[in-house]
Amino acid sequence: MTSLDNALSGLVKSAAIVFLGSVVGKMLSLLGQVFIVRSLDPTTFGHVALAYTVISTVAGLALLGSHDGVTRLMSAEQTVQSHLRVLRAGYTFAFFGGSVLALTIYAVRFKLGIYLNNDQLPRLLVAFLPFIFAYPISRISFSALRVYRQSFAATVARDLGPRVGAILLFGVFALSGEAFWGAVVYWVATPTVMVLLTGYYLHREISVRHVVSRLPDQEILHELWSFSWPLAVGSSFFLLLSNVDILMIGYFMEPYSVGLYRAIQPLRQITTFVVLGFTFLFLPIATEFYQDGDFEALDRIYTISTKWVVVITFSPVLVFTLFASDVVRTLFGGDYVPAAPALAILTAGLFLRAVVGLNGDMARAIDRPRIELYSVTPAVVIDIVLNLILIPRYGITGAAAGTVIGYGVYNLIEVVAIYWTVEIHPFSTDSLKPLVPTFLFALALAQMTADIKLSLPLLILIGVLIAIVNLISIVLTRSLSREDLMLFEQIEKRTGINIQYIKSFIRNYY
């Protein structure tokens, strides 16, 4: 390997901290969602969820893509004064974008309430307005922490502190009989606590007071905007792809349906949870192979990584698909069981995101970040058109179908674009062969337990059994190869974890 390998190895500890923090943060986020949903009926939750979806979408737009620009420009500068100038420009973008969009939301709140069939929406939007300011400011501050390589601080400030604080605040309101407003406080508190924590950690590196005490530099503002506006366009489309289903359900249907769908919507992340784990290993390795011109190794690591993403993701996807009613009832309560078909469609359909592998990271590794923009644009258009057609006819299951197809278009265009650029794709028969016996086993389990109301321990047991059968299927279908050994050697090298027994098994197997 090149000297880049040594540099990347030095970042493993930081990457591992950030990765573990992200995993714990997502688990805490799901836990908070469960607490809120179980405390509210679908209609009441639908009121709050729709307001949050509108505000979170607007707050994402308020960033104007400047958070990534702040990281890039601060990393290119060495002096404290330069850092202050860039950070000052970033906060200016955040405050300007937040102010314009907050005033816009306030002005049109009653019209939005009419369009989205929600009479509670106007007052809830006002209650959520602090989110529009806190979210972009928190992201700018977090971007600065990345520059100073404060991995632990960044993890606490983004993933741990805000989630724990928000859950505790919701608990206080729920115990006081105010779960409805507790949900509002939960979502507003998350970026607000993040602002406080990131500000605290940043103040140890630079004087935040000096950042806000002067006017921004016009030259830096222009440079930041030049870098950020393409990212702003791309992020806007991603936000629409993520949230358009909720907004259109609000337009066509009542708050009850919004509540049902928004309750199960975060569970679709199960299809990309494993991808997150492989990202911190895959991106630096793939980037190095590409820079070295070793396209054969790049092809192998892409294919093998995808295979293991598929293998590990398949078991929870089967649980969330075949046992969707039990999953919804166990997590959220019986009132939300009508959302089970939509959950099954989302998790089964979005499994394609695992099948195509780490295509987003591959696009960045081969220095083609605009592939994502070109892929998401038609995907959003198709998603909107399908939601217009399907939601009036099929309700929230139609919204789930439209979302699945939209994401499918996005991922397939990415795969085609990557293949067009470097003639590499993620597909292999070894990825698909183990899925057949595993699916048949899971289907048999679903038939055997069809008349039983499964508890959480039983669902976990079923998931473990499916995972075991999946691993056995890999061996029985002879889906291990020499390339798998290369992947596990890279994992061992990058993490320092001794997995000699796994490598020995693979080596003896093939």
Side-chain angles (χ1 to χ4, degrees), residues 18-274:
V18 172
F19 164 65
L20 291 175
S22 298
V23 171
V24 174
K26 286 184 177 296
M27 294 175 64
L28 289 172
S29 178
L30 177 59
L31 183 63
Q33 167 98 356
V34 170
F35 287 157
I36 292 173
V37 173
R38 292 188 72 90
S39 301
L40 302 172
D41 63 81
T43 299
T44 305
F45 178 67
H47 286 301
V48 184
L50 182 60
Y52 172 70
T53 301
V54 172
I55 290 294
S56 60
T57 303
V58 169
L61 299 176
L63 266 172
L64 301 174
S66 56
H67 56 302
D68 288 327
V70 166
T71 301
R72 172 66 180 83
L73 295 183
M74 287 183 68
S75 299
E77 301 289 347
Q78 301 298 322
T79 67
V80 173
Q81 289 301 318
S82 297
H83 287 179
L84 290 173
R85 292 168 65 201
V86 174
L87 193 55
R88 189 178 298 123
Y91 284 138
T92 300
F93 273 100
F95 183 76
F96 174 77
S99 298
V100 171
L101 292 174
L103 289 172
T104 302
I105 288 295
Y106 185 81
V108 302
R109 66 192 187 281
F110 291 107
K111 290 185 178 180
L112 286 174
I114 295 172
Y115 292 148
L116 297 177
N117 300 311
N118 194 314
D119 58 353
Q120 300 290 321
L121 192 60
R123 66 169 182 153
L124 285 170
L125 289 177
V126 174
F128 270 113
L129 284 180
F131 187 98
I132 298 181
F133 293 95
Y135 179 77
I137 291 173
S138 67
R139 294 297 302 273
I140 295 296
S141 298
F142 179 78
S143 297
L145 281 181
R146 291 178 61 191
V147 175
Y148 295 113
R149 299 182 181 180
Q150 295 286 338
S151 302
F152 178 77
T155 298
V156 171
R158 183 188 65 176
D159 301 309
L160 305 182
R163 298 299 181 190
V164 172
I167 290 174
L168 291 176
L169 285 171
F170 173 76
V172 171
F173 275 81
L175 291 175
S176 303
E178 295 290 344
F180 178 82
W181 290 109
V184 176
V185 170
Y186 170 87
W187 273 313
V188 173
T190 302
T192 303
V193 174
M194 186 173 170
V195 168
L196 297 175
L197 289 174
T198 51
Y200 168 76
Y201 286 118
L202 264 182
H203 191 68
R204 294 160 55 176
E205 300 291 338
I206 57 176
S207 174
V208 178
R209 180 173 59 84
H210 289 160
V211 175
V212 299
S213 62
R214 299 182 182 179
L215 293 174
D217 185 281
Q218 296 296 320
E219 182 180 349
I220 296 297
L221 282 174
H222 177 74
E223 187 175 359
L224 182 60
W225 173 247
S226 297
F227 181 87
S228 300
W229 76 262
L231 301 175
V233 175
S235 63
S236 299
F237 280 109
F238 278 113
L239 281 169
L240 286 174
L241 188 60
S242 299
N243 295 327
V244 71
D245 45 1
I246 292 288
L247 298 175
M248 296 186 72
I249 290 172
Y251 178 79
F252 285 111
M253 305 183 74
E254 70 288 343
Y256 173 77
S257 297
V258 175
L260 290 177
Y261 191 84
R262 182 58 179 77
I264 58 95
Q265 187 195 40
L267 297 181
R268 69 186 186 184
Q269 294 180 18
I270 195 70
T271 59
T272 56
F273 201 77
V274 179

Side-chain angles (χ1 to χ4, degrees), residues 358-378:
L358 299 111
N359 46 3
D361 292 298
M362 175 60 82
R364 287 186 284 274
I366 64 175
D367 197 25
R368 299 294 191 279
R370 291 193 178 185
I371 285 177
E372 293 196 35
L373 176 59
Y374 300 147
S375 302
V376 76
T377 304

